[in-house]
Amino acid sequence: DTGVSQDPRHKITKRGQNVTFRCDPISEHNRLYWYRQTLGQGPEFLTYFQNEAQLEKSRLLSDRFSAERPKGSFSTLEIQRTEQGDSAMYLCASSLAPRTVTGELFFGEGSRLTVL
Amino acid sequence: EDQVTQSPEALRLQEGESSSLNCSYTVSGLRGLFWYRQDPGKGPEFLFTLYSAGEEKEKERLKATLTKKESFLHITAPKPEDSATYLCAVQAGNTPLVFGKGTRLSVIA
């Protein structure tokens, strides 16, 4: 059984550098979500895709952040010109719509970003 | 704006000492309330979905209940392996889940 996988698991970068995270969802899942989580907080929604279409982006999402899901399979989340405030765990989740209404998201183990 | 507030922030229990975690919410048109468990350094793991007031769901030592303004996660005779952060989330319409900050549960043997 292959769950949601994320790569890299840990990334340390210097302020101003660009970083990219990859997420491979469960193969038959058509929805893919990106969340961000900082210490002591719950996951915060960033964006989500249904197949290859990006359906919603958080108002809080800076234009330095961009996400893609080419061909409706894996997804990438790129952060340009990183800032120290971008340090967080970036979580990817997938689900099978319309069963998504159950809120049953399958999360990966996350990619932890540290910006020095 | 949808809001989810969880209490307490942290809870320390002796093994076998039952207790409850609270999740109060403000949302227009609740479609569902969800409980997740998160272990340190891992992603959240789905536990329950509750759709309407009065509904209850059980899984092993956990029981989730829902009223019109809050949900409770009851933990009966907890064991050390129940130690984790428990997250509550709500969904309104077809919007993405909004999570609370979670309750950190520690169960001491």
Side-chain angles (χ1 to χ4, degrees):
Chain A
D1 172 34
T2 53
V4 177
S5 62
Q6 294 189 242
D7 184 70
R9 294 291 315 282
H10 304 274
K11 178 73 175 177
I12 300 174
T13 191
K14 293 183 179 179
R15 189 177 55 190
Q17 298 294 304
N18 299 343
V19 296
T20 299
F21 301 113
R22 176 181 170 124
C23 172
D24 287 272
I26 293 171
S27 58
E28 64 268 27
H29 284 184
N30 54 359
R31 284 203 178 179
L32 187 149
Y33 297 77
W34 286 99
Y35 281 81
R36 174 172 62 191
Q37 187 176 26
T38 54
L39 197 62
Q41 303 294 313
E44 174 190 36
F45 170 74
L46 295 178
T47 188
Y48 88 95
F49 295 83
Q50 177 150 326
N51 300 312
E52 65 274 12
Q54 189 172 19
L55 295 188
E56 188 170 341
K57 289 171 60 173
S58 168
R59 292 183 309 239
L60 304 174
L61 199 61
S62 158
D63 57 8
R64 295 183 297 105
F65 287 69
S66 62
E68 294 183 340
R69 192 182 182 197
K71 303 179 182 177
S73 56
F74 70 93
S75 176
T76 57
L77 176 69
E78 181 182 17
I79 308 173
Q80 296 183 325
R81 306 180 303 281
T82 52
E83 302 172 357
Q84 287 185 326
D86 297 332
S87 295
M89 175 78 85
Y90 289 85
L91 292 165
C92 176
S94 69
S95 70
L96 184 61
R99 212 172 79 191
T100 306
V101 297
T102 69
E104 185 176 347
L105 303 183
F106 294 81
F107 282 87
E109 297 205 331
S111 293
R112 181 168 295 285
L113 173 65
T114 302
V115 181
L116 302 176
Chain B
E1 184 178 325
D2 301 340
Q3 288 192 326
V4 179
T5 303
Q6 293 189 245
S7 61
E9 289 186 9
L11 182 62
R12 185 182 171 100
L13 299 173
Q14 293 293 319
E15 185 172 3
E17 180 186 1
S18 301
S19 188
S20 294
L21 282 54
N22 177 265
C23 170
S24 59
Y25 63 90
T26 305
V27 63
S28 269
L30 179 73
R31 192 165 195 183
L33 183 141
F34 314 92
W35 284 96
Y36 282 78
R37 168 189 171 131
Q38 187 172 27
D39 292 306
K42 301 285 182 70
E45 177 185 353
F46 171 78
L47 292 173
F48 302 111
T49 306
L50 300 165
Y51 292 106
S52 57
E55 190 173 359
E56 298 182 351
K57 293 276 180 71
E58 284 190 68
K59 180 179 181 179
E60 296 181 358
R61 295 177 292 282
L62 299 177
K63 179 179 177 180
T65 61
L66 181 65
T67 73
K68 288 187 177 179
K69 293 186 177 180
E70 58 191 348
S71 176
F72 294 93
L73 185 66
H74 308 277
I75 303 177
T76 302
K79 298 182 178 181
E81 53 262 42
D82 294 322
S83 296
T85 295
Y86 290 86
L87 295 164
C88 172
V90 297
Q91 185 177 37
N94 202 26
T95 59
L97 300 190
V98 175
F99 284 85
K101 293 182 179 182
T103 293
R104 283 193 320 278
L105 174 66
S106 299
V107 182
I108 312 303

